[in-house]
Amino acid sequence: MEGDQKPLALQLCPFSPAMEAEIGARFVIERWFERNEGEQADWLAENGARVRAVVTGGHIGCPSPLMEALPELAIIAINGVGFDKVDLTLASARGVAVTTTPGVLTDDVADLAIGLVVALLRRIPAADVHVRKGLWPKGDMALARKVSGKRFGVLGLGQIGMAIARRLEAFGPVAYCDAAPKSVDYAYHADPAALAAASDVLVVACAATPATQGLVDAGVLEALGADGYLVNVARGSVIDERALTRAVEEGVIAGAALDVFAREPHVPDALIASERTVLTPHVASGTVETRQAMADLVVANLDDFLAGSAPRTALPRP
Ligand code: 8YV
């Protein structure tokens, strides 16, 4: 296709060069994230009516005012599984298909969750610093906590939660909390605080929805207790971050390992300063292999759209 015959797409965040090349072979790309607000407004006034696709990350989504400013928008292709930053009702009303990349990142997110559990309890980042900073010859570091034999709680037993639970079985008994019991052998708790009270390590793996907003609150953290650990690979919005920060500072819980935050890329200073935390910058799906698989699925959905078919992993309309 020649440049000016290709449809126009807005790219809302950076992707790998290979993914950008694939999208660029199919669309004229507007690199939206590189423009300031004034430039965006000018560009929209001139070109907004020609935009057919938005390509974005799960952590970015598509702001509703932007969706509303694109009358010919037909598809929002998310490079991720989270769709909490897209108003699906608005998209549906506007006839916009919203696609995600389910399945292909499940293993990576579950693997990172296990890595965070072990890193947190065994204090692997602190141990690394102990060696690197030359502290070892001066003395041993403080003892860590044992992982095997701990009781694990998984908050949200969807595809990712289940993959985490399966891996955790190798370490100790697993229980879970979800909207309703599932046909699994793990102990079920209807209430997050009850799950926290029955867990040494609580792993948050639920989707961010209005129902899960702030689900892990001060009460859940108190129930987890001074010997309890929290791990979050879901979304920052599922946890009351102020309550968590306080709980970490005051020793209400033993520690937290977090890949996601309420206002990324901002991380509260107190969480950064604390020795009770292990922090990663939203990298659960961030491997070469998985990002390639995600890119392939994004492009396959765009190809479906361009061919006039239903995109293969479009979300159901609400
Ligand atoms: C990605 C994610 O970090 O799947 C999601 O919803 O948040 C992550 O996999 C992000 O979407 C990459 O674009």
PDB file of all heavy atoms in Angstrom, residues 24-43:
ATOM      1  N   GLY A  24       3.430   0.166  10.989  1.00  0.00           N
ATOM      2  CA  GLY A  24       3.713   1.177   9.975  1.00  0.00           C
ATOM      3  C   GLY A  24       3.556   0.667   8.548  1.00  0.00           C
ATOM      4  O   GLY A  24       3.350   1.448   7.620  1.00  0.00           O
ATOM      5  N   ALA A  25       3.664  -0.654   8.371  1.00  0.00           N
ATOM      6  CA  ALA A  25       3.468  -1.233   7.034  1.00  0.00           C
ATOM      7  C   ALA A  25       1.985  -1.218   6.647  1.00  0.00           C
ATOM      8  O   ALA A  25       1.646  -1.342   5.471  1.00  0.00           O
ATOM      9  CB  ALA A  25       3.996  -2.669   7.001  1.00  0.00           C
ATOM     10  N   ARG A  26       1.132  -1.080   7.662  1.00  0.00           N
ATOM     11  CA  ARG A  26      -0.313  -1.156   7.416  1.00  0.00           C
ATOM     12  C   ARG A  26      -1.038   0.177   7.551  1.00  0.00           C
ATOM     13  O   ARG A  26      -2.109   0.376   6.990  1.00  0.00           O
ATOM     14  CB  ARG A  26      -0.943  -2.146   8.404  1.00  0.00           C
ATOM     15  CG  ARG A  26      -0.491  -3.575   8.150  1.00  0.00           C
ATOM     16  CD  ARG A  26      -0.637  -4.419   9.411  1.00  0.00           C
ATOM     17  NE  ARG A  26      -0.352  -5.814   9.123  1.00  0.00           N
ATOM     18  CZ  ARG A  26       0.867  -6.347   9.073  1.00  0.00           C
ATOM     19  NH1 ARG A  26       1.933  -5.580   9.278  1.00  0.00           N
ATOM     20  NH2 ARG A  26       1.041  -7.627   8.812  1.00  0.00           N
ATOM     21  N   PHE A  27      -0.461   1.064   8.367  1.00  0.00           N
ATOM     22  CA  PHE A  27      -1.114   2.346   8.662  1.00  0.00           C
ATOM     23  C   PHE A  27      -0.108   3.487   8.528  1.00  0.00           C
ATOM     24  O   PHE A  27       1.092   3.289   8.708  1.00  0.00           O
ATOM     25  CB  PHE A  27      -1.623   2.367  10.117  1.00  0.00           C
ATOM     26  CG  PHE A  27      -2.759   1.431  10.392  1.00  0.00           C
ATOM     27  CD1 PHE A  27      -2.521   0.102  10.735  1.00  0.00           C
ATOM     28  CD2 PHE A  27      -4.076   1.867  10.317  1.00  0.00           C
ATOM     29  CE1 PHE A  27      -3.569  -0.763  10.994  1.00  0.00           C
ATOM     30  CE2 PHE A  27      -5.132   1.008  10.576  1.00  0.00           C
ATOM     31  CZ  PHE A  27      -4.877  -0.315  10.913  1.00  0.00           C
ATOM     32  N   VAL A  28      -0.619   4.670   8.273  1.00  0.00           N
ATOM     33  CA  VAL A  28       0.168   5.872   8.511  1.00  0.00           C
ATOM     34  C   VAL A  28       0.059   6.130  10.008  1.00  0.00           C
ATOM     35  O   VAL A  28      -1.050   6.247  10.551  1.00  0.00           O
ATOM     36  CB  VAL A  28      -0.375   7.078   7.716  1.00  0.00           C
ATOM     37  CG1 VAL A  28       0.371   8.350   8.108  1.00  0.00           C
ATOM     38  CG2 VAL A  28      -0.269   6.813   6.224  1.00  0.00           C
ATOM     39  N   ILE A  29       1.207   6.168  10.669  1.00  0.00           N
ATOM     40  CA  ILE A  29       1.210   6.250  12.128  1.00  0.00           C
ATOM     41  C   ILE A  29       1.403   7.683  12.598  1.00  0.00           C
ATOM     42  O   ILE A  29       2.331   8.368  12.153  1.00  0.00           O
ATOM     43  CB  ILE A  29       2.373   5.411  12.717  1.00  0.00           C
ATOM     44  CG1 ILE A  29       2.195   3.932  12.365  1.00  0.00           C
ATOM     45  CG2 ILE A  29       2.484   5.597  14.223  1.00  0.00           C
ATOM     46  CD1 ILE A  29       1.035   3.296  13.038  1.00  0.00           C
ATOM     47  N   GLU A  30       0.554   8.110  13.511  1.00  0.00           N
ATOM     48  CA  GLU A  30       0.774   9.372  14.199  1.00  0.00           C
ATOM     49  C   GLU A  30       1.273   9.040  15.601  1.00  0.00           C
ATOM     50  O   GLU A  30       0.572   8.405  16.389  1.00  0.00           O
ATOM     51  CB  GLU A  30      -0.548  10.167  14.259  1.00  0.00           C
ATOM     52  CG  GLU A  30      -0.541  11.350  15.192  1.00  0.00           C
ATOM     53  CD  GLU A  30       0.541  12.378  14.864  1.00  0.00           C
ATOM     54  OE1 GLU A  30       1.045  12.395  13.724  1.00  0.00           O
ATOM     55  OE2 GLU A  30       0.894  13.147  15.777  1.00  0.00           O
ATOM     56  N   ARG A  31       2.512   9.478  15.922  1.00  0.00           N
ATOM     57  CA  ARG A  31       3.111   9.170  17.225  1.00  0.00           C
ATOM     58  C   ARG A  31       2.602  10.184  18.258  1.00  0.00           C
ATOM     59  O   ARG A  31       3.274  11.145  18.615  1.00  0.00           O
ATOM     60  CB  ARG A  31       4.638   9.164  17.116  1.00  0.00           C
ATOM     61  CG  ARG A  31       5.131   8.055  16.198  1.00  0.00           C
ATOM     62  CD  ARG A  31       6.607   8.182  15.911  1.00  0.00           C
ATOM     63  NE  ARG A  31       7.441   7.862  17.060  1.00  0.00           N
ATOM     64  CZ  ARG A  31       7.736   6.622  17.432  1.00  0.00           C
ATOM     65  NH1 ARG A  31       7.278   5.598  16.753  1.00  0.00           N
ATOM     66  NH2 ARG A  31       8.502   6.410  18.479  1.00  0.00           N
ATOM     67  N   TRP A  32       1.419   9.907  18.734  1.00  0.00           N
ATOM     68  CA  TRP A  32       0.654  10.817  19.589  1.00  0.00           C
ATOM     69  C   TRP A  32       1.412  11.196  20.859  1.00  0.00           C
ATOM     70  O   TRP A  32       1.391  12.338  21.298  1.00  0.00           O
ATOM     71  CB  TRP A  32      -0.647  10.088  19.958  1.00  0.00           C
ATOM     72  CG  TRP A  32      -1.683  10.895  20.632  1.00  0.00           C
ATOM     73  CD1 TRP A  32      -2.154  10.718  21.908  1.00  0.00           C
ATOM     74  CD2 TRP A  32      -2.427  11.994  20.094  1.00  0.00           C
ATOM     75  NE1 TRP A  32      -3.125  11.630  22.190  1.00  0.00           N
ATOM     76  CE2 TRP A  32      -3.309  12.424  21.085  1.00  0.00           C
ATOM     77  CE3 TRP A  32      -2.412  12.654  18.866  1.00  0.00           C
ATOM     78  CZ2 TRP A  32      -4.179  13.477  20.896  1.00  0.00           C
ATOM     79  CZ3 TRP A  32      -3.285  13.714  18.677  1.00  0.00           C
ATOM     80  CH2 TRP A  32      -4.151  14.109  19.676  1.00  0.00           C
ATOM     81  N   PHE A  33       2.099  10.209  21.434  1.00  0.00           N
ATOM     82  CA  PHE A  33       2.774  10.426  22.724  1.00  0.00           C
ATOM     83  C   PHE A  33       3.967  11.374  22.594  1.00  0.00           C
ATOM     84  O   PHE A  33       4.503  11.834  23.604  1.00  0.00           O
ATOM     85  CB  PHE A  33       3.241   9.080  23.306  1.00  0.00           C
ATOM     86  CG  PHE A  33       4.154   8.305  22.394  1.00  0.00           C
ATOM     87  CD1 PHE A  33       5.521   8.367  22.570  1.00  0.00           C
ATOM     88  CD2 PHE A  33       3.639   7.547  21.360  1.00  0.00           C
ATOM     89  CE1 PHE A  33       6.378   7.668  21.718  1.00  0.00           C
ATOM     90  CE2 PHE A  33       4.494   6.853  20.501  1.00  0.00           C
ATOM     91  CZ  PHE A  33       5.855   6.919  20.682  1.00  0.00           C
ATOM     92  N   GLU A  34       4.374  11.677  21.369  1.00  0.00           N
ATOM     93  CA  GLU A  34       5.524  12.585  21.193  1.00  0.00           C
ATOM     94  C   GLU A  34       5.078  14.029  21.010  1.00  0.00           C
ATOM     95  O   GLU A  34       5.910  14.919  20.873  1.00  0.00           O
ATOM     96  CB  GLU A  34       6.370  12.131  19.985  1.00  0.00           C
ATOM     97  CG  GLU A  34       7.135  10.854  20.286  1.00  0.00           C
ATOM     98  CD  GLU A  34       7.942  10.342  19.102  1.00  0.00           C
ATOM     99  OE1 GLU A  34       7.756  10.846  17.984  1.00  0.00           O
ATOM    100  OE2 GLU A  34       8.738   9.418  19.314  1.00  0.00           O
ATOM    101  N   ARG A  35       3.772  14.274  20.969  1.00  0.00           N
ATOM    102  CA  ARG A  35       3.274  15.649  20.779  1.00  0.00           C
ATOM    103  C   ARG A  35       2.826  16.236  22.105  1.00  0.00           C
ATOM    104  O   ARG A  35       2.278  15.522  22.945  1.00  0.00           O
ATOM    105  CB  ARG A  35       2.076  15.648  19.829  1.00  0.00           C
ATOM    106  CG  ARG A  35       2.460  15.323  18.400  1.00  0.00           C
ATOM    107  CD  ARG A  35       1.247  15.507  17.516  1.00  0.00           C
ATOM    108  NE  ARG A  35       1.549  15.142  16.142  1.00  0.00           N
ATOM    109  CZ  ARG A  35       1.912  16.022  15.200  1.00  0.00           C
ATOM    110  NH1 ARG A  35       2.015  17.302  15.485  1.00  0.00           N
ATOM    111  NH2 ARG A  35       2.142  15.609  13.972  1.00  0.00           N
ATOM    112  N   ASN A  36       3.019  17.545  22.277  1.00  0.00           N
ATOM    113  CA  ASN A  36       2.489  18.189  23.481  1.00  0.00           C
ATOM    114  C   ASN A  36       1.002  18.488  23.272  1.00  0.00           C
ATOM    115  O   ASN A  36       0.465  18.291  22.178  1.00  0.00           O
ATOM    116  CB  ASN A  36       3.302  19.442  23.853  1.00  0.00           C
ATOM    117  CG  ASN A  36       3.180  20.530  22.794  1.00  0.00           C
ATOM    118  OD1 ASN A  36       2.130  20.693  22.181  1.00  0.00           O
ATOM    119  ND2 ASN A  36       4.268  21.257  22.559  1.00  0.00           N
ATOM    120  N   GLU A  37       0.356  18.952  24.341  1.00  0.00           N
ATOM    121  CA  GLU A  37      -1.108  19.115  24.292  1.00  0.00           C
ATOM    122  C   GLU A  37      -1.574  20.041  23.177  1.00  0.00           C
ATOM    123  O   GLU A  37      -2.558  19.772  22.496  1.00  0.00           O
ATOM    124  CB  GLU A  37      -1.616  19.637  25.631  1.00  0.00           C
ATOM    125  CG  GLU A  37      -2.046  18.522  26.547  1.00  0.00           C
ATOM    126  CD  GLU A  37      -2.610  19.045  27.854  1.00  0.00           C
ATOM    127  OE1 GLU A  37      -3.340  20.058  27.827  1.00  0.00           O
ATOM    128  OE2 GLU A  37      -2.303  18.426  28.889  1.00  0.00           O
ATOM    129  N   GLY A  38      -0.835  21.156  23.001  1.00  0.00           N
ATOM    130  CA  GLY A  38      -1.211  22.121  21.959  1.00  0.00           C
ATOM    131  C   GLY A  38      -1.106  21.487  20.579  1.00  0.00           C
ATOM    132  O   GLY A  38      -2.005  21.637  19.735  1.00  0.00           O
ATOM    133  N   GLU A  39      -0.020  20.758  20.355  1.00  0.00           N
ATOM    134  CA  GLU A  39       0.182  20.094  19.056  1.00  0.00           C
ATOM    135  C   GLU A  39      -0.912  19.045  18.827  1.00  0.00           C
ATOM    136  O   GLU A  39      -1.405  18.884  17.706  1.00  0.00           O
ATOM    137  CB  GLU A  39       1.553  19.414  19.014  1.00  0.00           C
ATOM    138  CG  GLU A  39       2.721  20.384  18.962  1.00  0.00           C
ATOM    139  CD  GLU A  39       4.060  19.696  19.186  1.00  0.00           C
ATOM    140  OE1 GLU A  39       4.097  18.566  19.704  1.00  0.00           O
ATOM    141  OE2 GLU A  39       5.074  20.316  18.853  1.00  0.00           O
ATOM    142  N   GLN A  40      -1.265  18.345  19.904  1.00  0.00           N
ATOM    143  CA  GLN A  40      -2.303  17.316  19.769  1.00  0.00           C
ATOM    144  C   GLN A  40      -3.632  17.941  19.337  1.00  0.00           C
ATOM    145  O   GLN A  40      -4.320  17.428  18.448  1.00  0.00           O
ATOM    146  CB  GLN A  40      -2.484  16.565  21.098  1.00  0.00           C
ATOM    147  CG  GLN A  40      -1.310  15.651  21.429  1.00  0.00           C
ATOM    148  CD  GLN A  40      -1.455  14.935  22.755  1.00  0.00           C
ATOM    149  OE1 GLN A  40      -2.303  15.291  23.581  1.00  0.00           O
ATOM    150  NE2 GLN A  40      -0.635  13.932  22.980  1.00  0.00           N
ATOM    151  N   ALA A  41      -3.969  19.082  19.963  1.00  0.00           N
ATOM    152  CA  ALA A  41      -5.238  19.743  19.631  1.00  0.00           C
ATOM    153  C   ALA A  41      -5.239  20.187  18.164  1.00  0.00           C
ATOM    154  O   ALA A  41      -6.219  19.971  17.434  1.00  0.00           O
ATOM    155  CB  ALA A  41      -5.466  20.934  20.563  1.00  0.00           C
ATOM    156  N   ASP A  42      -4.118  20.779  17.734  1.00  0.00           N
ATOM    157  CA  ASP A  42      -4.032  21.236  16.338  1.00  0.00           C
ATOM    158  C   ASP A  42      -4.123  20.050  15.378  1.00  0.00           C
ATOM    159  O   ASP A  42      -4.827  20.097  14.366  1.00  0.00           O
ATOM    160  CB  ASP A  42      -2.687  21.951  16.088  1.00  0.00           C
ATOM    161  CG  ASP A  42      -2.626  23.268  16.832  1.00  0.00           C
ATOM    162  OD1 ASP A  42      -3.684  23.731  17.292  1.00  0.00           O
ATOM    163  OD2 ASP A  42      -1.511  23.823  16.960  1.00  0.00           O
ATOM    164  N   TRP A  43      -3.401  18.991  15.730  1.00  0.00           N
ATOM    165  CA  TRP A  43      -3.372  17.817  14.843  1.00  0.00           C
ATOM    166  C   TRP A  43      -4.774  17.216  14.731  1.00  0.00           C
ATOM    167  O   TRP A  43      -5.231  16.846  13.639  1.00  0.00           O
ATOM    168  CB  TRP A  43      -2.366  16.783  15.380  1.00  0.00           C
ATOM    169  CG  TRP A  43      -2.131  15.665  14.414  1.00  0.00           C
ATOM    170  CD1 TRP A  43      -1.176  15.609  13.446  1.00  0.00           C
ATOM    171  CD2 TRP A  43      -2.915  14.466  14.291  1.00  0.00           C
ATOM    172  NE1 TRP A  43      -1.299  14.440  12.731  1.00  0.00           N
ATOM    173  CE2 TRP A  43      -2.354  13.724  13.219  1.00  0.00           C
ATOM    174  CE3 TRP A  43      -4.005  13.947  14.968  1.00  0.00           C
ATOM    175  CZ2 TRP A  43      -2.867  12.482  12.828  1.00  0.00           C
ATOM    176  CZ3 TRP A  43      -4.516  12.711  14.574  1.00  0.00           C
ATOM    177  CH2 TRP A  43      -3.943  12.002  13.513  1.00  0.00           C
TER     178      TRP A  43
END
